[in-house]
Amino acid sequence: MPDLPDDTAPVAAFEQSLDALEALVLKMEKGDLSLDDSLAAYERGVGLYRQCRSALEQAELRVKLLSDPLDPESAQPFERDDA
């Protein structure tokens, strides 16, 4: 399997973190965990959430830089087509 370029690593990390977070939430929702296990799962979930948020912020910055590399602050938000 070929190595992925370094710039795709944040996307892969986001997807892995999101998958792990979803699995963790499902496990916690079952209610079968002890208090200690629930606290550990919650702590892990917070860490995964922060990783996801960081990856999304990096992606947003990349989009802004691609939109206008000289003035990324002037980038306009994407408009959704709900039609």
mmCIF file of all heavy atoms in Angstrom, residues 13-61:
data_model
loop_
_atom_site.group_PDB
_atom_site.id
_atom_site.type_symbol
_atom_site.label_atom_id
_atom_site.label_comp_id
_atom_site.label_asym_id
_atom_site.label_seq_id
_atom_site.Cartn_x
_atom_site.Cartn_y
_atom_site.Cartn_z
ATOM 1 N N ALA A 13 -6.532 11.348 10.054
ATOM 2 C CA ALA A 13 -6.596 11.418 11.518
ATOM 3 C C ALA A 13 -7.987 11.848 11.972
ATOM 4 O O ALA A 13 -8.521 11.321 12.958
ATOM 5 C CB ALA A 13 -5.531 12.379 12.052
ATOM 6 N N PHE A 14 -8.599 12.790 11.248
ATOM 7 C CA PHE A 14 -9.948 13.230 11.591
ATOM 8 C C PHE A 14 -10.928 12.074 11.459
ATOM 9 O O PHE A 14 -11.741 11.835 12.359
ATOM 10 C CB PHE A 14 -10.389 14.391 10.683
ATOM 11 C CG PHE A 14 -11.841 14.732 10.841
ATOM 12 C CD1 PHE A 14 -12.266 15.497 11.903
ATOM 13 C CD2 PHE A 14 -12.780 14.283 9.927
ATOM 14 C CE1 PHE A 14 -13.610 15.816 12.068
ATOM 15 C CE2 PHE A 14 -14.123 14.589 10.073
ATOM 16 C CZ PHE A 14 -14.528 15.352 11.146
ATOM 17 N N GLU A 15 -10.850 11.357 10.364
ATOM 18 C CA GLU A 15 -11.780 10.251 10.139
ATOM 19 C C GLU A 15 -11.609 9.155 11.187
ATOM 20 O O GLU A 15 -12.595 8.612 11.690
ATOM 21 C CB GLU A 15 -11.612 9.700 8.730
ATOM 22 C CG GLU A 15 -12.092 10.676 7.669
ATOM 23 C CD GLU A 15 -11.833 10.212 6.253
ATOM 24 O OE1 GLU A 15 -11.197 9.160 6.049
ATOM 25 O OE2 GLU A 15 -12.274 10.924 5.329
ATOM 26 N N GLN A 16 -10.371 8.853 11.540
ATOM 27 C CA GLN A 16 -10.118 7.834 12.567
ATOM 28 C C GLN A 16 -10.636 8.306 13.924
ATOM 29 O O GLN A 16 -11.266 7.532 14.655
ATOM 30 C CB GLN A 16 -8.624 7.523 12.655
ATOM 31 C CG GLN A 16 -8.098 6.768 11.462
ATOM 32 C CD GLN A 16 -6.585 6.624 11.497
ATOM 33 O OE1 GLN A 16 -5.895 7.277 12.265
ATOM 34 N NE2 GLN A 16 -6.065 5.741 10.661
ATOM 35 N N SER A 17 -10.384 9.561 14.260
ATOM 36 C CA SER A 17 -10.850 10.092 15.541
ATOM 37 C C SER A 17 -12.368 10.128 15.603
ATOM 38 O O SER A 17 -12.966 9.778 16.624
ATOM 39 C CB SER A 17 -10.298 11.506 15.776
ATOM 40 O OG SER A 17 -8.902 11.464 15.925
ATOM 41 N N LEU A 18 -13.001 10.518 14.503
ATOM 42 C CA LEU A 18 -14.460 10.583 14.470
ATOM 43 C C LEU A 18 -15.065 9.181 14.597
ATOM 44 O O LEU A 18 -16.026 8.979 15.348
ATOM 45 C CB LEU A 18 -14.944 11.256 13.185
ATOM 46 C CG LEU A 18 -16.436 11.494 13.078
ATOM 47 C CD1 LEU A 18 -16.932 12.367 14.226
ATOM 48 C CD2 LEU A 18 -16.779 12.116 11.738
ATOM 49 N N ASP A 19 -14.490 8.211 13.893
ATOM 50 C CA ASP A 19 -14.968 6.824 14.006
ATOM 51 C C ASP A 19 -14.833 6.321 15.445
ATOM 52 O O ASP A 19 -15.741 5.691 15.986
ATOM 53 C CB ASP A 19 -14.202 5.900 13.060
ATOM 54 C CG ASP A 19 -14.572 6.119 11.600
ATOM 55 O OD1 ASP A 19 -15.615 6.761 11.320
ATOM 56 O OD2 ASP A 19 -13.809 5.659 10.723
ATOM 57 N N ALA A 20 -13.676 6.594 16.062
ATOM 58 C CA ALA A 20 -13.446 6.152 17.440
ATOM 59 C C ALA A 20 -14.415 6.840 18.396
ATOM 60 O O ALA A 20 -14.935 6.204 19.323
ATOM 61 C CB ALA A 20 -11.995 6.429 17.845
ATOM 62 N N LEU A 21 -14.679 8.119 18.165
ATOM 63 C CA LEU A 21 -15.603 8.861 19.020
ATOM 64 C C LEU A 21 -17.019 8.310 18.890
ATOM 65 O O LEU A 21 -17.712 8.112 19.889
ATOM 66 C CB LEU A 21 -15.570 10.350 18.670
ATOM 67 C CG LEU A 21 -16.414 11.284 19.520
ATOM 68 C CD1 LEU A 21 -16.045 11.172 20.993
ATOM 69 C CD2 LEU A 21 -16.245 12.723 19.038
ATOM 70 N N GLU A 22 -17.451 8.022 17.676
ATOM 71 C CA GLU A 22 -18.785 7.456 17.466
ATOM 72 C C GLU A 22 -18.916 6.096 18.156
ATOM 73 O O GLU A 22 -19.936 5.810 18.790
ATOM 74 C CB GLU A 22 -19.078 7.336 15.980
ATOM 75 C CG GLU A 22 -19.319 8.683 15.310
ATOM 76 C CD GLU A 22 -19.454 8.590 13.799
ATOM 77 O OE1 GLU A 22 -19.116 7.536 13.210
ATOM 78 O OE2 GLU A 22 -19.909 9.577 13.195
ATOM 79 N N ALA A 23 -17.892 5.256 18.039
ATOM 80 C CA ALA A 23 -17.921 3.941 18.684
ATOM 81 C C ALA A 23 -17.968 4.091 20.205
ATOM 82 O O ALA A 23 -18.686 3.351 20.885
ATOM 83 C CB ALA A 23 -16.700 3.125 18.259
ATOM 84 N N LEU A 24 -17.215 5.042 20.719
ATOM 85 C CA LEU A 24 -17.179 5.285 22.161
ATOM 86 C C LEU A 24 -18.545 5.753 22.668
ATOM 87 O O LEU A 24 -19.019 5.293 23.707
ATOM 88 C CB LEU A 24 -16.106 6.319 22.481
ATOM 89 C CG LEU A 24 -15.789 6.576 23.937
ATOM 90 C CD1 LEU A 24 -15.298 5.301 24.621
ATOM 91 C CD2 LEU A 24 -14.730 7.659 24.043
ATOM 92 N N VAL A 25 -19.183 6.639 21.920
ATOM 93 C CA VAL A 25 -20.508 7.129 22.313
ATOM 94 C C VAL A 25 -21.513 5.976 22.334
ATOM 95 O O VAL A 25 -22.301 5.845 23.281
ATOM 96 C CB VAL A 25 -20.980 8.262 21.368
ATOM 97 C CG1 VAL A 25 -22.452 8.567 21.559
ATOM 98 C CG2 VAL A 25 -20.146 9.517 21.597
ATOM 99 N N LEU A 26 -21.482 5.130 21.326
ATOM 100 C CA LEU A 26 -22.396 3.975 21.292
ATOM 101 C C LEU A 26 -22.176 3.068 22.495
ATOM 102 O O LEU A 26 -23.131 2.595 23.115
ATOM 103 C CB LEU A 26 -22.219 3.192 19.996
ATOM 104 C CG LEU A 26 -22.727 3.870 18.728
ATOM 105 C CD1 LEU A 26 -22.346 3.051 17.499
ATOM 106 C CD2 LEU A 26 -24.223 4.080 18.791
ATOM 107 N N LYS A 27 -20.914 2.844 22.829
ATOM 108 C CA LYS A 27 -20.578 1.996 23.971
ATOM 109 C C LYS A 27 -21.089 2.608 25.274
ATOM 110 O O LYS A 27 -21.656 1.917 26.123
ATOM 111 C CB LYS A 27 -19.054 1.808 24.026
ATOM 112 C CG LYS A 27 -18.573 0.837 25.057
ATOM 113 C CD LYS A 27 -17.059 0.677 24.930
ATOM 114 C CE LYS A 27 -16.535 -0.285 25.955
ATOM 115 N NZ LYS A 27 -15.076 -0.450 25.860
ATOM 116 N N MET A 28 -20.932 3.916 25.411
ATOM 117 C CA MET A 28 -21.375 4.597 26.626
ATOM 118 C C MET A 28 -22.901 4.628 26.718
ATOM 119 O O MET A 28 -23.462 4.536 27.806
ATOM 120 C CB MET A 28 -20.806 6.016 26.683
ATOM 121 C CG MET A 28 -19.304 6.056 26.906
ATOM 122 S SD MET A 28 -18.640 7.734 26.872
ATOM 123 C CE MET A 28 -19.301 8.361 28.417
ATOM 124 N N GLU A 29 -23.569 4.765 25.576
ATOM 125 C CA GLU A 29 -25.027 4.827 25.580
ATOM 126 C C GLU A 29 -25.677 3.512 26.014
ATOM 127 O O GLU A 29 -26.808 3.510 26.486
ATOM 128 C CB GLU A 29 -25.543 5.230 24.199
ATOM 129 C CG GLU A 29 -25.348 6.700 23.907
ATOM 130 C CD GLU A 29 -25.834 7.104 22.528
ATOM 131 O OE1 GLU A 29 -25.994 6.219 21.656
ATOM 132 O OE2 GLU A 29 -26.042 8.307 22.319
ATOM 133 N N LYS A 30 -24.962 2.410 25.863
ATOM 134 C CA LYS A 30 -25.504 1.125 26.298
ATOM 135 C C LYS A 30 -25.698 1.081 27.811
ATOM 136 O O LYS A 30 -26.555 0.358 28.301
ATOM 137 C CB LYS A 30 -24.583 -0.018 25.860
ATOM 138 C CG LYS A 30 -24.651 -0.315 24.391
ATOM 139 C CD LYS A 30 -23.783 -1.507 24.060
ATOM 140 C CE LYS A 30 -23.842 -1.814 22.584
ATOM 141 N NZ LYS A 30 -22.984 -2.954 22.229
ATOM 142 N N GLY A 31 -24.874 1.820 28.546
ATOM 143 C CA GLY A 31 -25.012 1.892 29.991
ATOM 144 C C GLY A 31 -24.428 0.708 30.735
ATOM 145 O O GLY A 31 -24.732 0.513 31.907
ATOM 146 N N ASP A 32 -23.582 -0.062 30.087
ATOM 147 C CA ASP A 32 -22.996 -1.246 30.711
ATOM 148 C C ASP A 32 -21.661 -0.973 31.394
ATOM 149 O O ASP A 32 -21.084 -1.885 31.993
ATOM 150 C CB ASP A 32 -22.791 -2.350 29.662
ATOM 151 C CG ASP A 32 -24.091 -2.844 29.066
ATOM 152 O OD1 ASP A 32 -25.135 -2.712 29.739
ATOM 153 O OD2 ASP A 32 -24.076 -3.359 27.935
ATOM 154 N N LEU A 33 -21.152 0.250 31.309
ATOM 155 C CA LEU A 33 -19.831 0.549 31.858
ATOM 156 C C LEU A 33 -19.923 0.884 33.343
ATOM 157 O O LEU A 33 -20.901 1.466 33.806
ATOM 158 C CB LEU A 33 -19.216 1.739 31.117
ATOM 159 C CG LEU A 33 -18.969 1.579 29.621
ATOM 160 C CD1 LEU A 33 -18.454 2.890 29.042
ATOM 161 C CD2 LEU A 33 -17.994 0.456 29.348
ATOM 162 N N SER A 34 -18.865 0.516 34.060
ATOM 163 C CA SER A 34 -18.775 0.920 35.469
ATOM 164 C C SER A 34 -18.499 2.419 35.530
ATOM 165 O O SER A 34 -18.208 3.053 34.509
ATOM 166 C CB SER A 34 -17.638 0.160 36.153
ATOM 167 O OG SER A 34 -16.385 0.598 35.641
ATOM 168 N N LEU A 35 -18.571 2.975 36.718
ATOM 169 C CA LEU A 35 -18.301 4.398 36.881
ATOM 170 C C LEU A 35 -16.883 4.735 36.439
ATOM 171 O O LEU A 35 -16.662 5.707 35.710
ATOM 172 C CB LEU A 35 -18.531 4.825 38.333
ATOM 173 C CG LEU A 35 -18.283 6.300 38.635
ATOM 174 C CD1 LEU A 35 -19.152 7.190 37.752
ATOM 175 C CD2 LEU A 35 -18.514 6.593 40.097
ATOM 176 N N ASP A 36 -15.906 3.938 36.865
ATOM 177 C CA ASP A 36 -14.517 4.185 36.465
ATOM 178 C C ASP A 36 -14.353 4.106 34.951
ATOM 179 O O ASP A 36 -13.688 4.950 34.342
ATOM 180 C CB ASP A 36 -13.570 3.189 37.138
ATOM 181 C CG ASP A 36 -13.330 3.504 38.595
ATOM 182 O OD1 ASP A 36 -13.552 4.662 39.001
ATOM 183 O OD2 ASP A 36 -12.915 2.584 39.331
ATOM 184 N N ASP A 37 -14.955 3.088 34.345
ATOM 185 C CA ASP A 37 -14.865 2.937 32.894
ATOM 186 C C ASP A 37 -15.587 4.075 32.175
ATOM 187 O O ASP A 37 -15.136 4.546 31.129
ATOM 188 C CB ASP A 37 -15.444 1.590 32.447
ATOM 189 C CG ASP A 37 -14.578 0.409 32.871
ATOM 190 O OD1 ASP A 37 -13.379 0.621 33.185
ATOM 191 O OD2 ASP A 37 -15.106 -0.718 32.900
ATOM 192 N N SER A 38 -16.697 4.523 32.732
ATOM 193 C CA SER A 38 -17.429 5.648 32.148
ATOM 194 C C SER A 38 -16.609 6.923 32.191
ATOM 195 O O SER A 38 -16.568 7.685 31.219
ATOM 196 C CB SER A 38 -18.754 5.870 32.877
ATOM 197 O OG SER A 38 -19.624 4.787 32.676
ATOM 198 N N LEU A 39 -15.948 7.170 33.306
ATOM 199 C CA LEU A 39 -15.101 8.359 33.422
ATOM 200 C C LEU A 39 -13.926 8.291 32.452
ATOM 201 O O LEU A 39 -13.593 9.286 31.801
ATOM 202 C CB LEU A 39 -14.598 8.524 34.850
ATOM 203 C CG LEU A 39 -15.643 8.983 35.862
ATOM 204 C CD1 LEU A 39 -15.077 8.916 37.284
ATOM 205 C CD2 LEU A 39 -16.132 10.384 35.552
ATOM 206 N N ALA A 40 -13.313 7.129 32.345
ATOM 207 C CA ALA A 40 -12.198 6.955 31.403
ATOM 208 C C ALA A 40 -12.685 7.147 29.968
ATOM 209 O O ALA A 40 -12.001 7.784 29.154
ATOM 210 C CB ALA A 40 -11.566 5.579 31.584
ATOM 211 N N ALA A 41 -13.856 6.611 29.651
ATOM 212 C CA ALA A 41 -14.411 6.763 28.309
ATOM 213 C C ALA A 41 -14.725 8.223 28.022
ATOM 214 O O ALA A 41 -14.491 8.724 26.917
ATOM 215 C CB ALA A 41 -15.663 5.901 28.158
ATOM 216 N N TYR A 42 -15.254 8.930 29.013
ATOM 217 C CA TYR A 42 -15.559 10.350 28.847
ATOM 218 C C TYR A 42 -14.278 11.142 28.576
ATOM 219 O O TYR A 42 -14.237 11.985 27.671
ATOM 220 C CB TYR A 42 -16.271 10.894 30.082
ATOM 221 C CG TYR A 42 -16.602 12.357 29.971
ATOM 222 C CD1 TYR A 42 -17.699 12.775 29.234
ATOM 223 C CD2 TYR A 42 -15.803 13.310 30.587
ATOM 224 C CE1 TYR A 42 -17.996 14.122 29.113
ATOM 225 C CE2 TYR A 42 -16.098 14.656 30.473
ATOM 226 C CZ TYR A 42 -17.190 15.061 29.732
ATOM 227 O OH TYR A 42 -17.462 16.395 29.624
ATOM 228 N N GLU A 43 -13.237 10.870 29.351
ATOM 229 C CA GLU A 43 -11.963 11.549 29.142
ATOM 230 C C GLU A 43 -11.420 11.280 27.753
ATOM 231 O O GLU A 43 -10.936 12.183 27.068
ATOM 232 C CB GLU A 43 -10.948 11.114 30.194
ATOM 233 C CG GLU A 43 -11.237 11.653 31.574
ATOM 234 C CD GLU A 43 -10.267 11.140 32.626
ATOM 235 O OE1 GLU A 43 -9.232 10.547 32.269
ATOM 236 O OE2 GLU A 43 -10.547 11.337 33.823
ATOM 237 N N ARG A 44 -11.512 10.032 27.318
ATOM 238 C CA ARG A 44 -11.065 9.660 25.971
ATOM 239 C C ARG A 44 -11.904 10.392 24.921
ATOM 240 O O ARG A 44 -11.388 10.881 23.924
ATOM 241 C CB ARG A 44 -11.167 8.140 25.794
ATOM 242 C CG ARG A 44 -10.847 7.647 24.418
ATOM 243 C CD ARG A 44 -9.357 7.703 24.134
ATOM 244 N NE ARG A 44 -9.111 7.152 22.818
ATOM 245 C CZ ARG A 44 -8.318 7.741 21.929
ATOM 246 N NH1 ARG A 44 -7.652 8.816 22.240
ATOM 247 N NH2 ARG A 44 -8.157 7.222 20.729
ATOM 248 N N GLY A 45 -13.195 10.472 25.154
ATOM 249 C CA GLY A 45 -14.086 11.165 24.226
ATOM 250 C C GLY A 45 -13.752 12.636 24.089
ATOM 251 O O GLY A 45 -13.780 13.188 22.982
ATOM 252 N N VAL A 46 -13.438 13.277 25.195
ATOM 253 C CA VAL A 46 -13.059 14.691 25.152
ATOM 254 C C VAL A 46 -11.785 14.861 24.318
ATOM 255 O O VAL A 46 -11.680 15.770 23.495
ATOM 256 C CB VAL A 46 -12.874 15.263 26.580
ATOM 257 C CG1 VAL A 46 -12.218 16.636 26.545
ATOM 258 C CG2 VAL A 46 -14.219 15.325 27.291
ATOM 259 N N GLY A 47 -10.836 13.971 24.511
ATOM 260 C CA GLY A 47 -9.602 14.027 23.718
ATOM 261 C C GLY A 47 -9.874 13.834 22.233
ATOM 262 O O GLY A 47 -9.318 14.547 21.393
ATOM 263 N N LEU A 48 -10.729 12.875 21.905
ATOM 264 C CA LEU A 48 -11.076 12.632 20.500
ATOM 265 C C LEU A 48 -11.809 13.830 19.911
ATOM 266 O O LEU A 48 -11.557 14.221 18.768
ATOM 267 C CB LEU A 48 -11.931 11.372 20.378
ATOM 268 C CG LEU A 48 -11.208 10.056 20.647
ATOM 269 C CD1 LEU A 48 -12.201 8.918 20.796
ATOM 270 C CD2 LEU A 48 -10.216 9.766 19.527
ATOM 271 N N TYR A 49 -12.714 14.429 20.683
ATOM 272 C CA TYR A 49 -13.432 15.617 20.231
ATOM 273 C C TYR A 49 -12.451 16.741 19.908
ATOM 274 O O TYR A 49 -12.563 17.413 18.881
ATOM 275 C CB TYR A 49 -14.435 16.069 21.300
ATOM 276 C CG TYR A 49 -14.966 17.453 21.064
ATOM 277 C CD1 TYR A 49 -15.953 17.683 20.104
ATOM 278 C CD2 TYR A 49 -14.464 18.536 21.773
ATOM 279 C CE1 TYR A 49 -16.422 18.962 19.873
ATOM 280 C CE2 TYR A 49 -14.937 19.812 21.551
ATOM 281 C CZ TYR A 49 -15.913 20.027 20.593
ATOM 282 O OH TYR A 49 -16.355 21.303 20.366
ATOM 283 N N ARG A 50 -11.489 16.937 20.784
ATOM 284 C CA ARG A 50 -10.504 18.006 20.564
ATOM 285 C C ARG A 50 -9.668 17.734 19.320
ATOM 286 O O ARG A 50 -9.331 18.661 18.569
ATOM 287 C CB ARG A 50 -9.625 18.171 21.796
ATOM 288 C CG ARG A 50 -10.375 18.793 22.955
ATOM 289 C CD ARG A 50 -9.522 18.936 24.182
ATOM 290 N NE ARG A 50 -10.290 19.558 25.268
ATOM 291 C CZ ARG A 50 -9.989 19.452 26.534
ATOM 292 N NH1 ARG A 50 -8.924 18.752 26.919
ATOM 293 N NH2 ARG A 50 -10.733 20.037 27.448
ATOM 294 N N GLN A 51 -9.318 16.470 19.083
ATOM 295 C CA GLN A 51 -8.567 16.127 17.876
ATOM 296 C C GLN A 51 -9.391 16.424 16.626
ATOM 297 O O GLN A 51 -8.875 16.966 15.641
ATOM 298 C CB GLN A 51 -8.170 14.654 17.897
ATOM 299 C CG GLN A 51 -7.101 14.317 18.912
ATOM 300 C CD GLN A 51 -6.856 12.818 19.021
ATOM 301 O OE1 GLN A 51 -7.431 12.019 18.299
ATOM 302 N NE2 GLN A 51 -6.001 12.436 19.942
ATOM 303 N N CYS A 52 -10.674 16.078 16.662
ATOM 304 C CA CYS A 52 -11.559 16.335 15.523
ATOM 305 C C CYS A 52 -11.676 17.834 15.275
ATOM 306 O O CYS A 52 -11.591 18.303 14.134
ATOM 307 C CB CYS A 52 -12.940 15.734 15.759
ATOM 308 S SG CYS A 52 -13.000 13.935 15.669
ATOM 309 N N ARG A 53 -11.888 18.582 16.333
ATOM 310 C CA ARG A 53 -12.038 20.039 16.202
ATOM 311 C C ARG A 53 -10.771 20.666 15.635
ATOM 312 O O ARG A 53 -10.829 21.537 14.771
ATOM 313 C CB ARG A 53 -12.378 20.646 17.551
ATOM 314 C CG ARG A 53 -12.622 22.124 17.487
ATOM 315 C CD ARG A 53 -13.569 22.559 18.575
ATOM 316 N NE ARG A 53 -13.732 23.981 18.572
ATOM 317 C CZ ARG A 53 -14.725 24.611 17.950
ATOM 318 N NH1 ARG A 53 -15.631 23.917 17.324
ATOM 319 N NH2 ARG A 53 -14.819 25.910 17.982
ATOM 320 N N SER A 54 -9.618 20.220 16.095
ATOM 321 C CA SER A 54 -8.347 20.737 15.605
ATOM 322 C C SER A 54 -8.183 20.431 14.113
ATOM 323 O O SER A 54 -7.751 21.290 13.338
ATOM 324 C CB SER A 54 -7.192 20.141 16.405
ATOM 325 O OG SER A 54 -5.963 20.537 15.870
ATOM 326 N N ALA A 55 -8.526 19.215 13.707
ATOM 327 C CA ALA A 55 -8.422 18.841 12.301
ATOM 328 C C ALA A 55 -9.354 19.687 11.439
ATOM 329 O O ALA A 55 -8.987 20.112 10.339
ATOM 330 C CB ALA A 55 -8.726 17.356 12.124
ATOM 331 N N LEU A 56 -10.567 19.959 11.928
ATOM 332 C CA LEU A 56 -11.501 20.806 11.186
ATOM 333 C C LEU A 56 -10.983 22.242 11.068
ATOM 334 O O LEU A 56 -11.119 22.872 10.016
ATOM 335 C CB LEU A 56 -12.877 20.800 11.854
ATOM 336 C CG LEU A 56 -13.663 19.507 11.716
ATOM 337 C CD1 LEU A 56 -14.942 19.580 12.544
ATOM 338 C CD2 LEU A 56 -13.983 19.211 10.267
ATOM 339 N N GLU A 57 -10.379 22.748 12.131
ATOM 340 C CA GLU A 57 -9.813 24.097 12.089
ATOM 341 C C GLU A 57 -8.665 24.167 11.084
ATOM 342 O O GLU A 57 -8.530 25.150 10.350
ATOM 343 C CB GLU A 57 -9.356 24.521 13.479
ATOM 344 C CG GLU A 57 -10.506 24.821 14.424
ATOM 345 C CD GLU A 57 -10.085 25.013 15.869
ATOM 346 O OE1 GLU A 57 -8.890 24.799 16.206
ATOM 347 O OE2 GLU A 57 -10.962 25.363 16.685
ATOM 348 N N GLN A 58 -7.841 23.124 11.033
ATOM 349 C CA GLN A 58 -6.751 23.078 10.065
ATOM 350 C C GLN A 58 -7.297 23.038 8.639
ATOM 351 O O GLN A 58 -6.770 23.707 7.743
ATOM 352 C CB GLN A 58 -5.851 21.866 10.315
ATOM 353 C CG GLN A 58 -5.012 21.972 11.558
ATOM 354 C CD GLN A 58 -4.219 20.700 11.827
ATOM 355 O OE1 GLN A 58 -4.103 19.836 10.965
ATOM 356 N NE2 GLN A 58 -3.679 20.586 13.025
ATOM 357 N N ALA A 59 -8.356 22.260 8.425
ATOM 358 C CA ALA A 59 -8.963 22.172 7.097
ATOM 359 C C ALA A 59 -9.539 23.520 6.687
ATOM 360 O O ALA A 59 -9.394 23.944 5.528
ATOM 361 C CB ALA A 59 -10.040 21.094 7.087
ATOM 362 N N GLU A 60 -10.193 24.209 7.625
ATOM 363 C CA GLU A 60 -10.753 25.526 7.326
ATOM 364 C C GLU A 60 -9.647 26.500 6.939
ATOM 365 O O GLU A 60 -9.794 27.273 5.982
ATOM 366 C CB GLU A 60 -11.522 26.050 8.527
ATOM 367 C CG GLU A 60 -12.180 27.393 8.278
ATOM 368 C CD GLU A 60 -12.955 27.918 9.481
ATOM 369 O OE1 GLU A 60 -12.764 27.400 10.594
ATOM 370 O OE2 GLU A 60 -13.741 28.844 9.285
ATOM 371 N N LEU A 61 -8.540 26.453 7.649
ATOM 372 C CA LEU A 61 -7.416 27.332 7.334
ATOM 373 C C LEU A 61 -6.868 27.027 5.944
ATOM 374 O O LEU A 61 -6.582 27.932 5.165
ATOM 375 C CB LEU A 61 -6.322 27.198 8.389
ATOM 376 C CG LEU A 61 -5.056 28.016 8.138
ATOM 377 C CD1 LEU A 61 -5.384 29.508 8.083
ATOM 378 C CD2 LEU A 61 -4.023 27.736 9.219
#
